Amino acid sequence: VQLQASGGGLVQLGGSLRLSCVVSGSILLVNGMGWYRQALGQEREVVAVISNRGTTNYVDSVIGRFTISRDNDKNTVYLQMNSLKPEDTAVYYCYADVVRTGYARDQYWGQGTQVTVSS
């Protein structure tokens, strides 16, 4: 199973970016998916998560600005980020809880994509 994230980049204060993460491999079912981020010198923190039924949760600092969504047919999770602030600057990692063919279940991480917000 592999997770491939894309969509990061450099954006100005108040700008927008959309992150995508595709899960591929011998997949039977993708349960929860989400996005975490890690700023330089800080611990990784959860940004947003979404269940396979579409229930979402966000860290308080992004509520009203970020939206997580998923396409179950494509095994893809998205993070629409609006009104970006310099404090959103971090490496963003996608996450998926996957049941593989054969019914083994594991958690997987993408490679990370850099988001930089300039002021």
Side-chain angles (χ1 to χ4, degrees):
V1 175
Q2 291 186 329
L3 276 64
Q4 181 66 46
S6 61
L10 173 64
V11 64
Q12 291 187 332
L13 173 67
S16 298
L17 285 173
R18 189 190 193 209
L19 306 184
S20 300
C21 178
V22 180
V23 184
S24 62
S26 300
I27 301 165
L28 186 63
L29 174 68
V30 180
N31 292 313
M33 306 179 81
W35 292 93
Y36 288 64
R37 66 186 178 188
Q38 187 167 18
L40 193 62
Q42 298 186 20
E43 295 186 353
R44 189 175 298 190
E45 66 168 355
V46 61
V47 177
V49 295
I50 184 168
S51 73
N52 59 2
R53 295 186 178 184
T55 301
T56 60
N57 279 287
Y58 299 89
V59 65
D60 287 348
S61 61
V62 308
I63 291 174
R65 301 187 299 121
F66 291 11
T67 302
I68 189 170
S69 61
R70 64 188 286 170
D71 184 332
N72 291 333
D73 291 337
K74 297 180 179 179
N75 289 327
T76 301
V77 61
Y78 305 96
L79 186 67
Q80 178 66 45
M81 305 185 292
N82 299 329
S83 302
L84 283 161
K85 305 175 181 180
E87 51 263 44
D88 295 318
T89 296
V91 178
Y92 283 70
Y93 298 90
C94 59
Y95 157 89
D97 180 356
V98 177
V99 178
R100 304 194 305 272
T101 54
Y103 300 98
R105 179 179 179 180
D106 280 299
Q107 290 73 49
Y108 296 88
W109 294 89
Q111 83 284 10
T113 184
Q114 176 71 46
V115 172
T116 303
V117 184
S118 65
S119 56

